[in-house]
Amino acid sequence: MGLLWSLACSAEPETQLPPIVAASKYVDYSTTADTSVICMDDLLAREDRFIEVVASTLGVEPPSGRIRHVRVTGAEFDVPESWPCPSSMHCYWYDEERDLGTILSVGIVNFHELVHAVDIPALGDGHRTLGEGLATYLGSETQSDPVVTDFPERFLAMLAESPEPSDYRVAMHFVGSLMDRWGAEKFRRLRRDMPADATPDEFASLFTSIYGMTLDAALSQMTTPVWGKLIRLGCGDGIEQIPWAGDKSTEADLRGECGDPGFVGGGFVGDHMGFGKTFTIDLPEAGYYQIVVTAPDGALPSLSLEGCPDVGAASIASVSEGRWEGVLHAGRHAVSVGFPQGPEPRGEAHLVMEWIGPLGSP
C-alpha cells in the first residue's frame, strides 16, 4: 500500500498504477481487484453529476483535468500499515502541473475525496480546516448536533492546535454555517485567500475583512445544527422501490443487472460479493422485524438496510447469514444487496420481511 502512495506522488503516477478499466466525463477508475467482470457505468455517471453539483454549489468550474480513482484492496481497518495513504484509508493528491487528481481509497466511491477533486484544483490546497470542512459538508451526511454545545470554544481550540482539523465535524459545522447563512461567494474568497499555515490571528483577521464581522461574533451565531448535503443512494429518487405489500409483511424478488440504476460491480476481491444493487423501502411502522434473504441457486446474498437521515442511523440491519431479527424504525431505508461473483454482472435474491411486534413487546 505504501508503494502505491509513493507512486501516486511521483512524477508519472498513472503509468505505475493499475490500468484504467472504466471512465466517464471526469473520472478514470482503476483497481487492484480482479476486473474480469465489472459494471461501473451507473456509478461513474452518478459521480459525474455529483462533481457538477459540487462545482455549481461552490461557484467554480468543474475540473478541466482527469480524476484518477484507484480502489485499493487488501487494507485492514485495524492495521494502519496496510492503509493506502500514510495516515488514512483514503486521500486525494493533485498534480497542478499536469492538472491530474488522484484518489486512493479502499472504497469503490468516495464522495468526500471527490469534493477535494473539485475544490483544490479551483481554489488551491489552502487551509485544511476550510477544505476538510467543505468536503465533509458537501460529501457526507454528517450531522453537527453533537458539537453545537460550546462550539465557539471547540472551534477556536482546534484552530489554535493546527490548520489540520482534529475534528471534521467541528470543521463541517463552521463551513456549513457559513455556506447556509452567507452563501458561497464569501466562503469561496475565504477558502481561496486563507494561507495554508495561517495563525489563529491571521485567520480571524482575514475572516473579518471578508465577512464584515469578527470571527468571535460569527461563531456565537452558529447555533443551528448543520446537515451534510450528500443524499445517500436509496434515500432520494430514481432507485427501484421494494413495495410494502402486506399488512405485517412483504415479499419481493430482488433482481439486478448491469445497466440498472444503483447496480455496480467494481471488481472481485477474494470471496466477497461481486456485485451490488441499491433499492429503497418505506417501512410503515417501528418495531421488531425479521428479515430472510435467499437466492435461487442456494448461494447466500448479503443485504444491509439503513435508515435515511430523517429516520436515523440507529435503524440498521445487516444480513450476511440469510436471517436477521432486530429493531427498525418507520420511514425510508436504503437497501443494499450484494450478489455473489459470477461470469455476468447480474444477480438475484428473494426477500421476506416481517413485522413481528411493536417496540417494547417481549
Side-chain angles (χ1 to χ4, degrees), residues 161-185:
E161 179 183 346
S162 170
E164 183 76 28
S166 57
D167 190 328
Y168 281 23
R169 198 187 299 264
V170 171
M172 186 208 79
H173 184 73
F174 178 71
V175 172
S177 297
L178 293 179
M179 294 279 284
D180 288 350
R181 183 161 187 173
W182 289 288
E185 182 179 356

Side-chain angles (χ1 to χ4, degrees), residues 14 17 62 74-75 83 95 98 162 190 215 255 258 321 335 358:
E14 79 281 1
L17 296 172
W83 296 352
D95 184 336
R98 305 176 63 191
S162 170
L190 185 73
L215 178 61
R255 297 185 176 90
C258 197
E321 298 297 329
V335 181

Side-chain angles (χ1 to χ4, degrees), residues 46-186:
R46 191 155 40 93
E47 290 185 343
D48 283 348
R49 293 192 294 271
F50 175 79
I51 287 166
E52 291 178 346
V53 167
V54 169
S56 176
T57 301
L58 194 54
V60 300
E61 292 297 319
S64 57
R66 301 301 294 169
I67 301 169
R68 183 72 178 275
H69 181 192
V70 183
R71 177 197 176 197
V72 181
T73 60
E76 299 290 341
F77 179 77
D78 56 352
V79 184
E81 295 79 9
S82 71
W83 296 352
C85 305
S87 60
S88 176
M89 300 185 81
H90 53 87
C91 53
Y92 171 80
W93 174 83
Y94 180 58
D95 184 336
E96 184 175 4
E97 181 178 342
R98 305 176 63 191
D99 197 12
L100 173 67
T102 301
I103 295 172
L104 298 182
S105 174
V106 299
I108 296 175
V109 64
N110 191 304
F111 290 105
H112 180 103
E113 301 301 338
L114 283 176
V115 176
H116 287 320
V118 176
D119 167 48
I120 291 175
L123 301 174
D125 193 35
H127 199 282
R128 295 321 307 148
T129 289
L130 299 177
E132 298 300 347
L134 179 70
T136 308
Y137 174 62
L138 297 181
S140 79
E141 299 172 300
T142 302
Q143 300 177 24
S144 70
D145 306 60
V147 303
V148 171
T149 303
D150 299 327
F151 171 72
E153 293 82 359
R154 289 171 180 256
F155 181 80
L156 291 173
M158 187 180 74
L159 195 65
E161 179 183 346
S162 170
E164 183 76 28
S166 57
D167 190 328
Y168 281 23
R169 198 187 299 264
V170 171
M172 186 208 79
H173 184 73
F174 178 71
V175 172
S177 297
L178 293 179
M179 294 279 284
D180 288 350
R181 183 161 187 173
W182 289 288
E185 182 179 356
K186 287 185 176 181

Side-chain angles (χ1 to χ4, degrees), residues 64 85 193 198 202 211-212 306 334:
S64 57
C85 305
D193 296 345
E202 291 170 337
Y211 283 88
E306 187 168 358

